[in-house]
Amino acid sequence: MIVVRDPAALRRWVREQRARGERVGFVPTMGALHEGHLRLVDRAAAAAEHVICSVFVNPLQFGPGEDFEAYPRDEQRDCDLLAARGVAAVFVPSAAVMYPDAPRVRLVAPDLIRTLCGPHRPGHFEGVLTVVAKLLHIVEPDVAVFGRKDAQQALLIRRMTRDLDFPVTIDVAPTVREPDGLALSSRNAYLDPAGRRSALVLSRALEAGHRAWAGGVADAGAIVEAVRQELAREPGFAPQYVELVDQETLAPRAHGADDALLAAAGHVGVTRLIDNILLGAGLAGDVRVA
Ligand code: AMP
């Protein structure tokens, strides 16, 4: 596995592979890798001869007071995990390489950030779209894989590539969870054992929403209330939002539907956690690690 820090060198390498008729799959990450990231690598490997992963903690997507400085970083461990998974190249650019000066042109998607995390993280998705656009231009992959754990992000990226004619296929992979249901996240590293127990309420509460829907509750408000009630049973969890939205437009839904997205976010101490399910599938629609 090669570790590349220079965008031009990476683009050259990718073009060499593609000139031979071989496909390139791409998995962008912020590092602190876990099995959720590695399952994305597996999906990319199933779709392409070569997998490229990027590890870049993107300053543009962190707001003031968020955890940019504290975000866990361990390049060697990340590289070891990726090499063991058969990744061909890791792109590890510095912030100075990605942003020689503050970008004055950024991507926005006003309609798609009115719900879920959008109102709570001003500027976040602008930072995400801008860095992903840059990465897709640098890597020029055939396919790029994202996780449904960050459903709003995945949808925004899919729309960006469709609306702006990026020549890439976007693949969205199911959420990978611990055996007890907790969605894998780099931010789980912030949790102590008591915090981890509190965090578990998030997936449990979404499952309560799924059960309400499966049991005949059709009104979105009532489904959301079932989630809120479960969240309220855990004093260590401070809910931020619970919403039922359309999978494609992220607009609020008045009624349940199997393919509607039930999403929630909140804090355990200073750690912000998000999770979501497809209403009809519940946690069973996702992947569990052994
Ligand atoms: P991050 O490093 O948190 O920016 O995540 C990089 C990619 O991994 C994004 O596409 C995430 O949606 C995806 N990802 C993170 N956690 C999970 C998970 N538990 N299951 C599936 N994909 C995930």
Side-chain angles (χ1 to χ4, degrees):
M1 186 181 79
I2 55 170
V3 179
V4 187
R5 297 178 197 279
D6 173 36
L10 185 75
R11 190 181 277 134
R12 248 190 333 269
W13 184 87
V14 171
R15 287 185 178 183
E16 278 167 25
Q17 316 311 313
R18 296 189 65 190
R20 286 204 294 270
E22 294 167 358
R23 285 159 303 180
V24 168
F26 178 43
V27 179
T29 80
M30 298 206 299
L33 299 181
H34 52 64
E35 187 63 23
H37 298 111
L38 299 175
R39 297 293 172 104
L40 305 188
V41 167
D42 295 346
R43 272 175 89 102
E49 280 79 16
H50 307 280
V51 178
I52 298 187
C53 216
S54 63
V55 173
F56 178 60
V57 184
N58 174 34
L60 217 57
Q61 71 189 67
F62 288 80
E66 291 188 350
D67 57 345
F68 174 67
E69 305 295 340
Y71 200 83
R73 292 166 173 87
D74 189 342
E75 184 181 319
Q76 191 55 56
R77 179 180 168 277
D78 289 344
C79 286
D80 291 347
L81 287 169
L82 295 174
R85 215 67 169 212
V87 166
V90 190
F91 180 46
V92 194
S94 67
V97 160
M98 289 297 279
Y99 305 115
D101 46 20
R104 300 204 187 176
V105 176
R106 302 182 189 198
L107 283 152
V108 293
D111 286 354
L112 297 174
I113 62 164
R114 294 215 175 97
T115 54
L116 308 184
C117 293
H120 303 282
R121 299 192 72 187
H124 168 68
F125 288 116
E126 200 174 305
V128 168
L129 286 176
T130 303
V131 81
V132 172
K134 285 168 69 75
L135 289 168
L136 291 174
H137 287 318
I138 291 167
V139 179
E140 300 180 331
D142 296 275
V143 55
V145 188
F146 296 85
R148 209 185 56 225
K149 157 80 167 35
D150 301 280
Q152 189 168 23
Q153 166 176 289
L155 181 81
L156 279 157
I157 290 164
R158 197 195 277 287
R159 285 304 308 218
M160 171 181 78
T161 59
R162 201 207 293 180
D163 292 357
L164 302 181
D165 297 298
F166 283 49
V168 64
T169 300
I170 300 299
D171 179 35
V172 180
T175 299
V176 179
R177 301 178 178 280
E178 303 273 10
D180 59 9
L182 181 67
L184 297 187
S185 164
S186 301
R187 291 192 166 97
N188 292 350
Y190 297 142
L191 302 171
D192 63 15
R196 195 192 174 289
R197 276 195 297 280
S198 298
L200 207 48
V201 75
L202 193 48
S203 53
R204 206 163 56 230
L206 291 172
E207 185 64 5
H210 160 71
R211 269 202 313 276
W213 160 248
V217 178
D219 175 62
I223 294 167
V224 163
E225 187 50 34
V227 178
R228 287 195 174 280
Q229 275 180 15
E230 186 63 33
L231 290 176
R233 292 158 62 94
E234 173 49 62
F237 187 87
Q240 189 174 57
Y241 68 75
V242 180
E243 291 176 34
L244 184 71
V245 298
D246 185 278
Q247 236 210 124
E248 295 298 325
T249 64
L250 303 182
R253 305 231 14 177
H255 302 287
D258 280 347
D259 65 346
L261 195 71
L262 181 61
H267 287 85
V268 174
V270 295
T271 303
R272 184 174 181 277
L273 300 170
I274 62 172
D275 199 354
N276 68 79
I277 54 168
L278 291 174
L279 186 60
L283 296 183
D286 298 333
V287 172
R288 300 277 174 126
V289 293

